[in-house]
């Protein structure tokens, strides 16, 4: 009986040591894995360049100016009614828009059938956002895959852009802008940075 008890305690101690070692390895891996930012493409307006001016009318009749001087920044978020990832991200976009409303206006953009987009806005309850349909806007940003976002400052300058698949990638646009870099990836690839990435 005493031998079995001693063996049981030895097993418990061995398992505790194994759990501690695994927890330490998980911590090391967590530190080494860099946050994944939005996937930036080389096409479209370059980071730091001024976007062409667009004077558009949203589906609800609002006049929307892109690339004009303003006190606020704009986040262009390109979506489609047939894009499943877009639908998944819309609640996240609403949350981010509410958190950043003091300085940021979110503009949804797409092209194609107006009736389908109106139904999409109603179904997804997107009435709070201006929604513009413009093939020219999508072509200016060379949008080939969705969802795609571009952050434009008050001077009409592109601060960050890229394909967005989750909240972290969306917020990486703001982080890249705050850091004054083209993308989170380029920042993490620099000799300095690893653990001092700003968070919101």
């Amino acid at each position: 009986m005493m031998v079995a008890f001693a063996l049981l305690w030895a097993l418990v101690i061995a398992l505790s040591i194994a759990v501690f070692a695994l927890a330490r390895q998980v911590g090391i891996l967590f530190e080494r894995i860099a946050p994944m930012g939005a996937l930036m493409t080389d096409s479209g307006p370059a980071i730091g360049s001024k976007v062409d001016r667009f004077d558009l009318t949203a589906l609800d009749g609002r006049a929307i100016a892109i690339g004009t001087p303003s006190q606020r920044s704009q986040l262009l978020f390109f979506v489609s009614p047939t894009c499943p990832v877009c639908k998944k991200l819309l609640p996240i976009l609403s949350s981010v828009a509410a958190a950043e409303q003091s300085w940021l206006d979110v503009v949804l953009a797409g092209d194609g059938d107006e009736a389908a987009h109106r139904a999409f806005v109603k179904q997804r309850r997107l009435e709070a956002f201006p929604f513009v349909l413009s093939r020219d806007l999508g072509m200016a940003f060379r949008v080939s895959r969705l969802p795609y976002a571009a952050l434009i400052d008050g001077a009409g300058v592109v601060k960050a852009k890229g394909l967005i698949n989750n909240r972290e990638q969306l917020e990486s646009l703001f982080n890249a802008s705050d850091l004054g870099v083209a993308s989170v990836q380029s920042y993490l690839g620099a000799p300095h940075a690893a653990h001092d990435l700003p968070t919101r």
Side-chain angles (χ1 to χ4, degrees):
M1 184 74 167
M2 292 296 291
V3 173
F5 190 70
L7 285 173
L8 184 60
W9 268 109
L11 183 61
V12 168
I13 292 169
L15 285 173
S16 299
I17 293 170
V19 168
F20 176 77
L22 284 173
R24 187 170 182 276
Q25 288 303 313
V26 168
I28 291 170
L29 283 173
F30 183 79
E31 287 182 1
R32 289 182 181 172
I33 295 173
M36 192 63 185
L39 178 60
M40 194 176 77
T41 61
D42 293 332
S43 58
I47 303 299
S49 68
K50 199 168 187 315
V51 301
D52 294 334
R53 175 171 175 155
F54 287 86
D55 293 302
L56 305 169
T57 302
L59 293 177
D60 62 3
R62 279 182 271 185
I64 302 298
I66 308 293
T68 59
S70 170
Q71 297 296 316
R72 297 172 61 79
S73 294
Q74 287 179 322
L75 179 71
L76 296 182
F77 200 81
F78 293 87
V79 296
S80 165
T82 59
C83 168
V85 180
C86 300
K87 294 172 185 176
K88 180 190 81 172
L89 284 177
L90 288 172
I92 295 169
L93 181 66
S94 296
S95 172
V96 169
E100 309 295 341
Q101 64 182 334
S102 63
W103 65 279
L104 182 71
D105 294 323
V106 175
V107 178
L108 299 180
D111 67 8
D113 182 63
E114 182 176 329
H117 282 84
R118 287 187 180 278
F120 179 60
V121 168
K122 185 174 181 179
Q123 179 188 24
R124 295 289 165 174
R125 298 179 180 170
L126 302 174
E127 293 84 1
F129 300 114
F131 199 126
V132 296
L133 291 182
S134 173
R135 180 178 171 84
D136 291 339
L137 183 63
M139 290 182 67
F141 280 88
R142 301 291 191 271
V143 178
S144 59
R145 289 190 289 165
L146 298 173
Y148 184 91
L151 180 63
I152 304 169
D153 71 8
V157 173
V158 179
K159 302 300 288 183
K161 63 179 184 174
L163 291 168
I164 307 296
N165 288 309
N166 53 50
R167 186 185 191 104
E168 289 73 25
Q169 290 181 336
L170 178 57
E171 291 183 343
S172 76
L173 298 180
F174 307 135
N175 291 332
S177 176
D178 291 344
L179 291 166
V181 296
S183 68
V184 169
Q185 287 91 338
S186 66
Y187 176 80
L188 292 171
H192 59 301
H195 310 298
D196 53 344
L197 195 66
T199 56
R200 286 180 172 266

